[in-house]
């Protein structure tokens, strides 16, 4: 018996605690206080206290837990082969004798055993823990159990058995088991477990995986490990995924083909690729399959080419030996060689190369097939498919036949009639017109969605007949196409309730337009007129058809009939469609009759302008005025222009007034235009147009020497011109004053400019910006109203008005002259106040002339000669010039008539009347 070291015996300081625990060994507090007091003692001494405590209190969880934790701290940095681990294990075993219901003690023990790599002991301990603890606490043990069996060194079979037991406890963790099987490369069981999961309708993934993702994982496992998995119908599994998961069809088809490739079933793999390309409905899936298929063929070709290079020498040697042996007469060997020539030839590089080229050549056709599977009623894709077979009429005819059978006109995307037309043109291009007629005959019986489609087929058919010089046939076709269905047919269709386009095509404008063109080219005038009349009776005519019909009659000298057609047209149509008919009608009538039927022409024009809206009336008024100028009276022309200025919309009034003024100036002379200018200014034109008109009026007065009138016009227009936004106007007035004014008039212009600028500035300051846009405040009166609404007092507005009012007499358009004759070149210099309070007009720079006290011409009082200026020719209008010319001609004729005979004078009078 070994002796106990003295330092392990209780010291004098321990006597107090020893007496207490000896006196009451079953008190946990006394033992715990003893251990706390000796927390700084060596572990050996503390272990003796722990052993005595747990022996006295074997059911104390706190004592065992603290004891085991201290023992774990001791062995933490020791190697697992150290003897302390065995002592620790023994301590755990002793603790579990009484603590077997405590899962924390089991977990601590199992972690220690797992760390020691004691596989069998650890597995047995895990099983004991599961047996000892209740089921509700098994999840805490299984967590560490699965970690243990996932370690390296644990036999795979053991791990599998543990996982299978765990799934019986908690089947929801099947994904963990599948991941373990994948890591362990147990592909057979992995596939079976995944298949079971996918077949379970109540399965819910705790890792958030969808069935789609699990299905793809299963497909990858089945294809990548095809030789290691058996017992599963891989083809049926993947095809089921193809039917169910339509967004990964291309990948699943390639997976199925890859499965057969790995099993060395190459022809089966090619069949799968072909089937996939002919069934997918998206270009993306098609691209995936086609790329995989082409890579497969390229890899097979490269493998064969590498193998053929290795065996080329052997083949050459065999050929040399066969050449040496003349076995051409050996029938058996020859038969054997022939039978193995193609099907058993291992050197089939050319065949594989041809396969690859054939696949690449078919790509456009296969891609087009995919698009047609998406929508078999897509007309454009059918046309593209036909173009793929260009140069192969048989394939094109088969494609067109399939297209017209497949495409439903009611569901078609595009124009379904174009398929029939192109089909017929294919036969026509190969000089088979009879079959083309058969195709067209079938095409006109198809129930299209739109009438225009059927009309296009009839027109194309007629054009084909024209190309082949069958003019009578083309006319007969158009008569057949435009024939109205009989009453019996209409009644039968009304009973069915579904009216086909064949019942409406006789009202197709396209058909009738084509028909009437044919009649004009190939038929007679009567037949063409009958077609036009039929169009009018059906009420499908357009303004252009009316004009064409009338021009046809005019070309054939039926003028009154043509005008009747125009009359029918203006009654049928309303504005704006009837505008072209009126313009053509009036121009043709005037050209035809001129002044011979002037009253009738006037009635037509009056009716036209009465019916026309303001937007379309300008051209008619101009034509009307031209008629009066050429064949009527000048006064009536001016009246027409005046009516036009009132009838046109506001945005065209300025242009109309300019035309009015120019014509009046040319006919009656420039002074006549003053009335028109004044009328335009007072007619309510927009402010910018009033300003423009005033400036032009001022230029006119300046050209006539009326300087005061021009200045008054500038002053009147100034209220519409903001100096900041319209500097051109003020520059024009400035130049006017520099040329024709003086210091006072120039100062007056500057004063007006300041007043206008101040009025606009104050308005801008008071009013919001959105109210002060250009041309928004039309006059000062409107500005006053707006200021009043803005809260400006009446006193302030009156002060502003007084400041902006022009001086008396300065703003009048007409300058009145007080007695005496106005001297040429006189410039008004403003007003001066006499002592008596009267206004006196004076010019500070006026030259003082002596009073005319006598009319005697002497040296003391010489006569002042005033320079005379010729009157501009523009003052006299065209009528005056014409009158002068007529008088001159009359005088000349009179002189010549005196020398002519009576017969010659009568002839000249007749010519003049004509």
């Amino acid at each position: 018996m070994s002796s106990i070291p003295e330092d392990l015996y209780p010291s004098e300081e321990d006597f107090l605690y020893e007496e207490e625990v000896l006196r009451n060994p079953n008190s946990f507090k006394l033992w715990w206080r003893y251990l706390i007091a000796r927390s700084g003692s060596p572990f050996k001494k503390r272990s003796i206290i722990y052993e005595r405590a747990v022996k006295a209190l074997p059911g104390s969880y706190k004592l065992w837990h603290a004891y085991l934790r201290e023992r774990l701290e001791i062995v933490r940095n020791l190697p697992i082969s150290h003897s302390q681990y065995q002592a620790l294990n023994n301590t755990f075993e002793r603790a579990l004798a009484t603590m077997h219901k405590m899962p924390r003690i089991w977990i601590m023990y199992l972690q220690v055993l797992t760390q020691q790599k004691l596989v069998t002991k650890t597995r047995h301990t895990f099983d004991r823990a599961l047996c000892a603890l209740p089921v509700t606490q098994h999840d805490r043990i299984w967590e560490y159990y699965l970690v243990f069996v996932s370690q390296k060194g644990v036999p795979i079979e053991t791990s599998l058995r543990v996982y299978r037991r765990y799934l019986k406890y908690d089947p929801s963790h099947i994904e963990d088991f599948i991941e373990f099987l994948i890591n362990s490369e147990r592909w057979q069981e992995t596939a079976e477990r995944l298949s079971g999961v996918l077949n379970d309708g109540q399965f819910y993934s705790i890792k958030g995986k969808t069935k789609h993702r699990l299905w793809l994982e299963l497909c990858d496992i089945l294809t990548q490990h095809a030789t290691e998995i058996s017992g599963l119908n891989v083809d049926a599994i993947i095809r089921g995924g193809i039917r169910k998961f339509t967004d990964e069809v291309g990948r699943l088809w390639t997976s199925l083909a890859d499965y057969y490739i790995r099993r060395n079933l190459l022809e089966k793999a090619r069949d799968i690729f072909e089937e996939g390309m002919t069934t997918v409905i998206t270009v993306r899936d098609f691209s995936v399959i086609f790329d995989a298929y082409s890579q497969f063929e390229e890899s097979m070709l490269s493998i064969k080419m590498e193998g053929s290079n290795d065996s080329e020498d052997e083949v050459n040697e065999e050929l040399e030996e066969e050449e040496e042996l003349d076995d051409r007469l050996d029938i058996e060997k020859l038969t054997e060689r022939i039978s193995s020539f193609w099907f058993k030839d291992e050197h089939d590089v050319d065949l594989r190369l041809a396969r690859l080229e054939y696949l690449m050549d078919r790509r456009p056709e296969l891609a087009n097939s995919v698009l047609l599977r998406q929508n078999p009623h897509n007309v454009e894709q059918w046309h593209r498919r036909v173009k793929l077979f260009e140069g192969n009429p048989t394939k094109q005819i088969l494609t067109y036949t399939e297209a017209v059978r497949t495409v439903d006109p009611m569901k078609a995307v595009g124009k379904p009639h174009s398929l029939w037309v192109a089909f017929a043109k294919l036969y026509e291009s190969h000089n088979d017109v009879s079959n083309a007629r058969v195709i067209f005959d079938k095409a006109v019986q198809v129930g299209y969605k739109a009438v225009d489609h059927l009309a296009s087929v009839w027109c194309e058919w007629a054009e084909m007949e024209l190309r082949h010089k069958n003019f009578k046939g083309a006319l007969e076709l158009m008569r057949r196409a435009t024939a109205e269905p009989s009453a019996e047919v209409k009644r039968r269709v009304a009973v069915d309730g579904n009216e086909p386009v064949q019942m409406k095509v006789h009202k197709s404008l396209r058909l009738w337009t084509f028909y009437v063109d044919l009649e004009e080219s190939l038929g007679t005038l009567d037949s063409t007129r009958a077609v036009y009349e039929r169009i009018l009776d059906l009420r499908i005519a357009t303004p252009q058809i009316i004009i064409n019909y009338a021009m046809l009659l005019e070309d054939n000298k039926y003028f009154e009939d043509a005008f009747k057609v125009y009359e029918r047209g203006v009654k049928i149509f309303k504005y704006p469609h009837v505008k072209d008919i009126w313009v053509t009608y009036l121009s043709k009538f005037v050209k035809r009759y001129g002044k011979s039927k002037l009253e009738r022409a006037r009635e037509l024009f009056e009716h036209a302008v009465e019916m026309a809206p303001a937007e379309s009336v300008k051209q008619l008024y101009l034509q009307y005025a031209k008629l009066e100028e050429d064949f009527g009276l000048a006064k009536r022309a001016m009246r027409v222009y005046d009516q036009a200025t009132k009838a046109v919309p506001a945005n065209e009034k300025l242009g109309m007034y300019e035309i009015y003024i120019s014509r009046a100036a040319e006919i009656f002379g420039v002074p006549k235009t003053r009335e028109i200018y004044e009328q335009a200014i007072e007619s309510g034109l927009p402010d910018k147009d009033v300003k423009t008109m005033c400036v032009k009026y001022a230029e006119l007065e300046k050209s006539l020497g009326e300087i005061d009138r021009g200045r008054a016009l500038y002053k009147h227009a100034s209220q519409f011109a903001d100096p900041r936004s319209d500097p051109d106007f003020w520059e024009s007035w400035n130049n006017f004053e520099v040329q024709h004014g003086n210091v006072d008039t120039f100062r007056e212009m500057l004063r007006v400019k300041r007043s206008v600028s101040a009025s606009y500035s104050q308005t801008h300051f008071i009013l919001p910006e959105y109210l002060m846009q250009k041309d928004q405040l039309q006059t000062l009166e409107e500005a006053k109203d707006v200021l009043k609404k803005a809260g400006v007092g009446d006193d302030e507005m009156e002060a502003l008005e007084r400041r902006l009012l022009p001086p008396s007499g300065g703003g009048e358009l007409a300058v009145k002259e007080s007695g005496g004759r106005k001297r040429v070149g006189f410039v008004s210099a403003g007003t001066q106040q006499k002592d008596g309070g009267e206004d006196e007009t004076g010019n500070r720079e006026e030259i003082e002339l002596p009073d005319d006290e006598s009319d005697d011409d002497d040296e003391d009082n010489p006569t002042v000669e005033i320079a005379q200026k010729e009157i501009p020719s523009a003052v006299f209008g065209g009528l005056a010039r014409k009158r002068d010319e007529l008088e001159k001609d009359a005088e000349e004729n009179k002189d010549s008539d005196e020398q002519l005979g009576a017969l010659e004078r009568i002839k000249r009078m007749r010519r003049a009347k004509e």
Side-chain angles (χ1 to χ4, degrees):
M1 184 175 179
S2 59
S3 60
I4 300 175
E6 293 183 358
D7 57 345
L8 298 181
Y9 283 98
S11 60
E12 294 181 358
E13 297 175 356
D14 299 336
F15 288 161
L16 178 61
Y17 298 104
E18 287 289 343
E19 289 177 356
E20 289 180 352
V21 298
L22 290 175
R23 186 181 303 111
N24 189 6
N26 297 323
S27 175
F28 168 76
K29 290 183 179 181
L30 297 178
W31 287 108
W32 193 251
R33 188 162 51 185
Y34 191 6
L35 289 170
I36 292 174
R38 294 295 168 260
S39 58
S41 302
F43 175 70
K44 289 185 178 181
K45 186 173 183 179
R46 289 173 55 80
S47 64
I48 294 174
I49 300 173
Y50 271 120
E51 290 289 346
R52 292 168 58 195
V54 297
K55 186 176 181 180
L57 298 171
S60 176
Y61 170 77
K62 195 169 184 178
L63 285 174
W64 279 113
H65 188 264
Y67 186 23
L68 294 173
R69 288 190 63 181
E70 289 196 22
R71 277 201 167 275
L72 285 172
E73 289 295 329
I74 293 299
V75 302
R76 182 175 300 278
N77 298 322
L78 297 177
I80 58 175
S81 59
H82 199 276
S83 58
Q84 285 291 344
Y85 275 98
Q86 185 62 37
L88 177 61
N89 293 342
N90 293 335
T91 305
F92 269 112
E93 290 291 344
R94 288 188 290 113
L96 289 172
T98 56
M99 297 288 106
H100 58 276
K101 296 297 183 183
M102 300 297 173
R104 187 59 199 160
I105 304 298
W106 283 109
I107 291 172
M108 293 170 64
Y109 187 23
L110 294 171
Q111 287 178 331
V112 171
L113 292 176
T114 303
Q115 185 180 359
Q116 297 178 45
K117 306 296 184 182
L118 302 174
V119 178
T120 304
K121 185 175 180 59
T122 305
R123 180 171 58 81
H124 291 165
T125 306
F126 270 112
D127 293 341
R128 287 166 51 203
L130 292 172
C131 292
L133 293 174
V135 179
T136 55
Q137 295 180 348
H138 281 192
D139 56 338
R140 301 178 64 181
I141 303 300
W142 276 114
E143 180 183 354
Y144 297 97
Y145 204 173
L146 297 178
V147 173
F148 163 68
V149 297
S150 300
Q151 288 181 339
K152 293 183 178 180
V154 179
I156 296 297
E157 192 62 35
T158 300
S159 301
L160 293 176
R161 290 176 181 271
V162 171
Y163 264 106
R164 293 189 189 108
R165 287 172 53 198
Y166 175 61
L167 291 179
K168 291 180 181 180
Y169 167 72
D170 188 1
S172 63
H173 287 75
I174 183 68
E175 294 174 90
D176 297 330
F177 183 36
I178 292 173
E179 288 183 5
F180 176 76
L181 291 173
I182 293 174
N183 295 331
S184 302
E185 298 182 356
R186 295 294 180 116
W187 307 115
Q188 179 69 34
E189 189 170 358
T190 302
E192 293 175 355
R193 291 287 181 175
L194 268 175
S195 301
V197 167
L198 293 171
N199 291 329
D200 186 6
Q202 299 180 351
F203 172 75
Y204 175 77
S205 174
I206 60 175
K207 294 189 176 183
K209 291 184 179 180
T210 61
K211 282 198 172 184
H212 176 257
R213 182 177 175 184
L214 293 173
W215 197 286
L216 295 179
E217 290 179 3
L218 175 60
C219 292
D220 292 340
I221 292 171
L222 292 175
T223 54
Q224 295 174 8
H225 308 281
T227 57
E228 303 175 30
I229 298 174
S230 61
L232 292 177
N233 190 348
V234 178
D235 191 284
I237 291 173
I238 297 180
R239 287 181 184 273
I242 291 171
R243 290 190 298 270
K244 189 172 183 180
F245 305 108
T246 56
D247 57 339
E248 292 288 346
V249 173
R251 179 179 174 183
L252 292 175
W253 277 114
T254 54
S255 298
L256 182 56
D258 191 19
Y259 168 76
Y260 286 111
I261 292 172
R262 292 179 185 275
R263 297 195 64 179
N264 204 25
L265 299 174
L266 304 182
E267 292 302 326
K268 182 67 175 176
R270 288 191 179 92
D271 294 341
I272 294 300
F273 279 126
E274 291 288 343
E275 183 182 357
M277 288 191 300
T278 55
T279 56
V280 294
I281 59 174
T282 63
V283 178
R284 180 174 63 89
D285 292 333
F286 169 77
S287 300
V288 171
I289 299 173
F290 185 85
D291 293 342
Y293 192 9
S294 58
Q295 290 176 6
F296 163 69
E297 291 292 355
E298 289 175 0
S299 61
M300 296 303 297
L301 179 61
S302 61
I303 291 172
K304 281 292 181 181
M305 293 181 69
E306 291 174 1
S308 63
N309 291 333
D310 295 338
S311 60
E312 185 176 357
D313 297 335
E314 298 178 2
V315 173
N316 292 334
E317 292 177 0
E318 293 178 0
L319 289 175
E320 290 177 0
E321 293 177 359
E322 290 180 359
E323 288 178 359
E324 293 176 359
L325 298 174
D326 190 4
D327 57 355
R328 287 177 295 177
L329 300 177
D330 193 345
I331 303 301
E332 295 181 358
K333 290 185 178 180
L334 184 61
T335 305
E336 182 180 354
R337 288 179 61 185
I338 292 173
S339 62
S340 63
F341 176 75
W342 182 261
F343 298 102
K344 298 182 181 180
D345 187 11
E346 296 180 357
H347 307 286
D348 54 352
V349 178
D350 294 338
L351 173 62
R352 297 184 183 277
L353 184 60
R355 274 179 173 169
L356 181 59
E357 292 178 355
Y358 178 61
L359 176 63
M360 293 302 177
D361 294 340
R362 289 167 56 212
R363 180 184 176 93
E365 178 186 350
L366 294 171
N368 181 262
S369 299
V370 173
L371 296 175
L372 287 176
R373 282 194 293 274
Q374 288 181 359
N375 184 8
H377 308 290
N378 192 329
V379 177
E380 181 62 28
Q381 294 301 328
W382 281 110
H383 284 298
R384 292 181 182 177
R385 187 174 184 83
V386 173
K387 287 182 181 179
L388 295 176
F389 303 123
E390 193 169 356
N392 189 351
T394 304
K395 293 277 286 185
Q396 288 182 325
I397 291 172
L398 293 175
T399 304
Y400 274 127
T401 304
E402 183 183 0
V404 297
R405 287 178 180 175
T406 304
V407 175
D408 185 355
M410 295 300 175
K411 302 177 182 177
V413 178
K415 298 178 179 179
H417 72 279
S418 60
L419 288 172
W420 289 97
V421 173
F423 194 6
K425 285 184 178 181
L426 177 63
Y427 279 108
E428 183 188 359
S429 63
H430 290 81
N431 298 322
D432 191 353
V433 181
S434 59
N435 275 326
R437 291 192 180 102
V438 172
I439 297 300
F440 274 122
D441 188 58
K442 292 182 179 179
V444 296
Q445 300 175 20
V446 176
Y448 299 102
K449 187 176 182 179
V451 176
D452 191 57
H453 295 169
L454 180 57
S456 299
V457 175
W458 281 109
C459 294
E460 291 288 346
W461 191 357
E463 287 179 359
M464 185 191 75
E465 298 294 347
L466 292 175
R467 286 193 294 269
H468 291 83
K469 311 298 181 182
N470 186 9
F471 303 121
K472 292 184 178 180
L475 285 173
E476 185 60 32
L477 277 176
M478 298 316 297
R479 293 190 189 98
R480 175 183 163 192
T482 55
E484 186 175 359
S486 62
E488 178 64 23
V489 175
K490 289 182 178 180
R491 185 186 60 79
R492 193 182 310 119
V493 171
V495 172
D496 295 339
N498 186 14
E499 186 178 10
V501 292
Q502 282 76 9
M503 301 298 296
K504 309 173 188 176
V505 74
H506 69 282
K507 290 186 177 182
S508 172
L509 181 60
R510 181 172 184 177
L511 271 182
W512 283 104
T513 305
F514 188 82
Y515 186 17
V516 78
D517 290 342
L518 282 183
E519 287 290 352
E520 285 189 26
S521 303
L522 306 174
T524 63
L525 177 62
D526 293 336
S527 62
T528 307
R529 292 187 65 174
V531 175
Y532 273 118
E533 291 295 333
R534 181 60 179 160
I535 293 175
L536 294 175
D537 293 341
L538 290 174
R539 297 181 179 273
I540 58 174
T542 62
Q544 188 60 46
I545 288 179
I546 297 292
I547 295 173
N548 293 343
Y549 187 15
M551 292 182 68
L552 173 69
L553 295 174
E554 288 177 14
D555 294 340
N556 289 275
K557 310 301 181 183
Y558 289 91
F559 297 104
E560 285 300 326
D561 291 345
F563 295 147
K564 290 179 181 179
V565 172
Y566 284 125
E567 289 288 345
R568 293 178 67 180
V570 297
K571 291 179 181 178
I572 293 174
F573 297 101
K574 303 296 181 183
Y575 272 93
H577 309 291
V578 76
K579 178 181 177 181
D580 294 335
I581 300 178
W582 269 119
V583 172
T584 309
Y585 181 20
L586 295 173
S587 61
K588 294 287 184 180
F589 190 89
V590 172
K591 182 179 178 181
R592 170 65 181 164
Y593 292 111
K595 64 179 181 179
S596 62
K597 294 187 178 182
L598 185 59
E599 290 301 324
R600 181 179 171 186
R602 285 171 177 168
E603 291 178 3
L604 286 176
F605 274 108
E606 290 292 341
H607 182 59
V609 297
E610 181 183 354
M611 300 300 295
E615 294 78 12
S616 305
V617 78
K618 181 178 179 180
Q619 186 175 1
L620 297 175
Y621 270 114
L622 292 178
Q623 283 185 277
Y624 191 7
K626 185 71 167 57
L627 171 72
E628 294 293 349
E629 289 181 16
D630 294 342
F631 307 109
L633 300 175
K635 290 183 178 181
R636 291 185 67 94
M638 293 299 104
R639 191 185 310 160
V640 172
Y641 282 122
D642 184 61
Q643 293 176 1
T645 57
K646 297 178 176 62
V648 296
N651 60 339
E652 295 181 359
K653 281 183 180 295
L654 178 62
M656 198 67 233
Y657 270 112
E658 290 175 348
I659 297 173
Y660 186 12
I661 290 169
S662 65
R663 299 306 302 156
E666 183 177 352
I667 296 174
F668 293 104
V670 173
K672 180 66 176 177
T673 61
R674 284 174 172 164
E675 300 175 3
I676 306 173
Y677 274 116
E678 293 176 5
Q679 176 186 343
I681 294 172
E682 298 173 358
S683 63
L685 287 172
D687 283 355
K688 59 180 181 179
D689 296 341
V690 172
K691 179 184 65 179
T692 304
M693 193 61 66
C694 287
V695 172
K696 290 185 177 182
Y697 193 7
E699 292 294 328
L700 170 66
E701 297 293 354
K702 184 177 72 172
S703 65
L704 296 177
E706 298 289 345
I707 305 302
D708 285 347
R709 293 174 66 90
R711 183 177 292 111
L713 287 166
Y714 272 113
K715 187 175 294 185
H716 178 73
S718 64
Q719 60 182 320
F720 309 114
D722 185 359
R724 291 170 297 181
S725 61
D726 194 3
D728 296 338
F729 170 80
W730 295 98
E731 181 68 22
S732 175
W733 193 2
N734 183 79
N735 296 335
F736 175 83
E737 294 295 345
V738 168
Q739 294 177 5
H740 305 285
N742 52 37
V743 175
D744 292 337
T745 59
F746 196 84
R747 287 176 179 172
E748 178 67 14
M749 184 265 292
L750 295 178
R751 186 192 65 77
V752 173
K753 184 176 182 180
R754 286 194 300 271
S755 300
V756 173
S757 179
S759 64
Y760 276 98
S761 299
Q762 182 167 358
T763 308
H764 281 212
F765 176 75
I766 295 176
L767 297 181
E769 286 189 11
Y770 72 91
L771 289 177
M772 290 311 303
Q773 298 174 357
K774 191 176 182 181
D775 298 330
Q776 182 131 6
L777 293 177
Q778 303 295 337
T779 62
L780 291 177
E781 294 297 329
E782 295 182 9
K784 286 173 58 181
D785 294 339
V786 178
L787 289 172
K788 188 173 182 180
K789 293 179 181 178
V792 179
D794 294 337
D795 297 337
E796 296 181 13
M797 285 194 290
E798 290 178 2
L800 177 62
E801 184 178 2
R802 285 196 303 272
R803 193 171 65 181
L804 296 181
L805 267 177
S808 61
E812 296 179 357
L813 294 180
V815 179
K816 298 181 179 178
E817 300 179 9
S818 59
R821 186 177 179 186
K822 185 173 182 179
R823 292 189 295 269
V824 178
F826 174 77
V827 179
S828 176
T831 58
Q832 293 180 353
Q833 193 75 17
K834 285 187 176 181
D835 297 338
E838 296 179 355
D839 292 341
E840 180 182 6
T841 301
N843 188 351
R844 297 179 183 178
E845 298 180 3
E846 182 180 4
I847 299 174
E848 296 182 359
L849 299 176
D851 298 334
D852 296 337
E853 297 178 354
S854 64
D855 296 335
D856 298 335
D857 296 333
D858 52 10
E859 296 178 357
D860 296 333
N861 298 316
T863 302
V864 179
E865 296 182 358
I866 300 175
Q868 299 293 327
K869 186 177 180 181
E870 293 184 359
I871 299 176
S873 60
V875 172
F876 305 103
L879 293 179
R881 289 195 298 271
K882 187 181 293 186
R883 183 191 60 196
D884 296 340
E885 291 174 359
L886 291 175
E887 291 177 355
K888 184 177 180 181
D889 293 341
E891 292 177 359
E892 293 177 356
N893 291 333
K894 183 177 180 180
D895 296 338
S896 61
D897 288 347
E898 293 176 354
Q899 300 175 2
L900 294 175
L903 182 61
E904 184 65 25
R905 288 198 299 272
I906 293 172
K907 289 182 179 180
R908 288 192 178 185
M909 290 175 62
R910 287 179 179 177
R911 282 199 296 269
K913 290 181 180 180
E914 291 178 356

